[in-house]
């Protein structure tokens, strides 16, 4: 089955700096790569996603890049703010497998004011 | 529009007791999922239902059973709870392929 590895497990940055979280996946059939943000005690919520026919996608301060050849994708957050502090999860799924999503173990991002 | 609703939000069980977690979605989604979340281990898939009338095992199905009661409802049952099943459980749904919509989670403690 699919295996998703996520790094780093914790990340601390100063407000205004950029943050980068990286994930690798193993199943070449995976073609959908979402990122979820989970605030303390809350449910995970989608912040951005990318499909395999696209190399990069941007939404304001958040961007995701995908390298299908190397089987890795990354989340980039620019101009970080304290409210960006949360746990971020990457995931991978293939539409040929009932859309089952395999998640990375998460990255705890702390943005220091 | 409530989205995905889970009950109960909190539950304490003794080892060997049974319970059912209920999940309902009002978004007319085809696929529904049960995940468990443990510290440092992300979200692991327990069972899923790709469409009404079908259920399949995920990564960690042992000790659990599920029922897709209709298109809206997908329940998770623990027949004989064990301390290793202490976790936060999330139900999720989606149309077929794309964004997962999660419930608020159910925090289960097994003593």
């Amino acid at each position: 089955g699919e295996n998703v590895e996520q790094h780093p497990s914790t990340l601390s940055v100063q407000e205004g700096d950029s943050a980068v979280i990286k994930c690798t996946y193993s199943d070449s059939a995976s073609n959908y790569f979402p990122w979820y943000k989970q605030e303390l005690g809350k449910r995970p919520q989608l912040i951005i996603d990318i499909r395999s026919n696209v190399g990069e996608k941007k939404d304001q301060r958040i961007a995701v890049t995908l390298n299908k050849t190397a089987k890795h994708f990354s989340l980039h957050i620019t101009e970080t703010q304290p409210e960006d502090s949360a746990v971020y999860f990457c995931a991978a799924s293939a539409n040929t497998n009932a859309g089952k999503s395999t998640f990375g173990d998460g990255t705890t991002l702390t943005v220091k004011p | 529009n409530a989205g995905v609703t889970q009950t109960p939000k909190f539950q304490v069980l003794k080892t060997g007791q049974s319970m059912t977690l209920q999940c309902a979605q009002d978004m007319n989604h085809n696929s529904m999922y049960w995940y468990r979340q443990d510290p440092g281990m992300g979200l692991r898939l327990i069972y899923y239902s790709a469409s009404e009338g079908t259920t399949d095992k995920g990564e960690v199905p042992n000790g659990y059973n599920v029922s897709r009661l209709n298109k809206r409802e997908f329940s998770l049952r623990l027949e004989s709870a064990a301390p290793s099943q202490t976790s936060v459980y999330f139900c999720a749904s989606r149309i077929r392929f794309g964004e997962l919509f999660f419930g608020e989670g159910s925090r289960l403690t097994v003593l």
Side-chain angles (χ1 to χ4, degrees):
Chain A
E2 175 66 277
N3 182 48
V4 176
E5 294 191 356
Q6 183 172 345
H7 300 281
S9 57
T10 60
L11 180 59
S12 181
V13 300
Q14 287 295 136
E15 182 177 0
D17 287 351
S18 294
V20 180
I21 303 170
K22 299 181 179 182
C23 288
T24 61
Y25 63 99
S26 61
D27 189 352
S28 56
S30 290
N31 54 4
Y32 176 65
F33 307 94
W35 286 88
Y36 293 85
K37 176 183 180 182
Q38 186 179 29
E39 296 176 350
L40 191 62
K42 301 285 183 65
R43 74 187 87 188
Q45 292 190 292
L46 182 77
I47 54 170
I48 195 167
D49 57 10
I50 192 167
R51 296 184 188 273
S52 59
N53 57 347
V54 176
E56 183 174 358
K57 184 176 178 181
K58 190 172 182 180
D59 182 4
Q60 300 182 352
R61 296 186 297 109
I62 295 173
V64 57
T65 58
L66 171 65
N67 183 326
K68 283 177 57 181
T69 304
K71 295 201 188 82
H72 69 70
F73 56 111
S74 300
L75 177 70
H76 304 253
I77 306 174
T78 59
E79 301 172 22
T80 54
Q81 302 166 2
E83 50 265 39
D84 293 330
S85 296
V87 180
Y88 292 82
F89 293 98
C90 64
S93 61
N95 59 1
T96 55
N97 196 15
K100 289 191 301 179
S101 289
T102 300
F103 284 80
D105 288 343
T107 297
T108 301
L109 174 64
T110 303
V111 180
K112 299 177 183 176
Chain B
N1 218 0
V4 180
T5 304
Q6 289 180 234
T7 56
K9 289 187 170 49
F10 300 93
Q11 184 72 49
V12 179
L13 292 176
K14 294 181 180 178
T15 297
Q17 287 185 318
S18 61
M19 77 158 298
T20 300
L21 297 174
Q22 307 285 355
C23 176
Q25 51 89 13
D26 61 3
M27 296 175 282
N28 202 35
H29 286 170
N30 294 309
S31 303
M32 298 186 73
Y33 307 81
W34 277 105
Y35 286 90
R36 62 177 287 173
Q37 183 175 34
D38 301 297
M41 298 186 75
L43 292 145
R44 292 184 292 168
L45 183 63
I46 305 170
Y47 269 93
Y48 66 101
S49 172
S51 60
E52 186 179 357
T54 69
T55 60
D56 283 289
K57 296 178 181 179
E59 302 169 68
V60 289
N62 291 344
Y64 305 95
N65 283 301
V66 290
S67 295
R68 183 76 183 265
L69 303 169
N70 48 55
K71 191 171 186 179
R72 289 187 64 246
E73 298 173 287
F74 188 39
S75 63
L76 178 72
R77 183 160 179 83
L78 286 70
E79 291 291 351
S80 179
S84 60
Q85 294 178 303
T86 294
S87 189
V88 179
Y89 292 84
F90 284 98
C91 177
S93 71
R94 63 168 142 213
I95 295 175
R96 262 196 205 285
F97 187 59
E99 179 181 359
L100 277 168
F101 292 82
F102 287 89
E104 291 184 315
S106 299
R107 185 174 295 275
L108 174 66
T109 301
V110 183
L111 302 175

